[in-house]
Amino acid sequence: MRISVSSDMDEPVARALVDALRERGHEVRAHGALSPGDDPQWAVCSEAAARDVAEGRADQAVVCCWTGTGASIAANKVPGVRAALCTDAYTADGARRWNDANVLALSLRLTSVPVLQEILDAWFAGRPSDDPEDRANVERTTRLDRERTRA
């Protein structure tokens, strides 16, 4: 799978994330502080990773900043992106299952390497739900994106 990763800081957990994704066999495209010469501001690098997903250069993305909040907000401004800030495996599983999230947002402050591994396990094991109510909610967010881009 092609995965874009962004981080506004070159923190050990961000490097561990890139390593873990590569160890799992994913092709990683780095942005921000993880790519020398890139703009490391959270809004800039999170948008870049999210655009990779929206424009088909990546299948999914992981965006990181100190709290994860700014990265998730910036990513969610890109139409077609459903970013979820996940601090544990249960939330990551639910984000994939119920929300069909295609961008994982992580806090560099709260995410330890062992918790990171648990989150990634749940994220990649998770599959979007086929439940009609869940699909209807995801479709509604897609319509909201279309309406926003027409305005």
Side-chain angles (χ1 to χ4, degrees):
M1 185 180 302
R2 300 167 304 152
I3 301 178
S4 283
V5 177
S6 70
S7 182
D8 65 342
M9 298 174 0
D10 186 6
E11 290 288 312
V13 74
R15 288 190 302 274
L17 168 64
V18 171
D19 291 343
L21 292 171
R22 287 186 174 135
E23 287 169 9
R24 291 167 184 256
H26 301 295
E27 177 186 324
V28 176
R29 181 175 183 171
H31 296 281
L34 301 173
S35 180
D38 268 13
D39 189 334
Q41 294 181 73
W42 58 263
V44 174
C45 63
S46 298
E47 176 191 0
R51 286 205 182 281
D52 283 347
V53 173
E55 296 171 7
R57 290 182 297 274
D59 303 301
Q60 294 182 0
V62 184
V63 296
C64 307
C65 69
W66 192 242
T67 65
T69 305
S72 65
I73 290 170
N76 275 316
K77 296 296 182 183
V78 176
V81 167
R82 290 177 303 282
L85 175 56
C86 299
T87 57
D88 57 49
Y90 183 80
T91 306
D93 174 66
R96 290 289 297 132
R97 185 179 331 158
W98 300 310
N99 311 123
D100 194 6
N102 53 10
V103 174
L104 171 62
L106 297 173
S107 166
L108 296 170
R109 184 180 78 81
L110 294 176
T111 309
S112 65
V113 173
V115 170
L116 170 66
Q117 294 294 347
E118 293 171 2
I119 290 170
L120 293 177
D121 287 345
W123 181 266
F124 290 117
R127 298 286 176 256
S129 169
D130 290 327
D131 179 88
E133 185 175 305
D134 296 334
R135 297 308 316 154
N137 279 310
V138 171
E139 275 304 309
R140 178 156 184 90
T141 63
T142 301
R143 283 194 310 276
L144 289 169
D145 271 346
R146 284 194 299 267
E147 290 171 9
R148 184 175 67 192
T149 56
R150 281 184 276 178

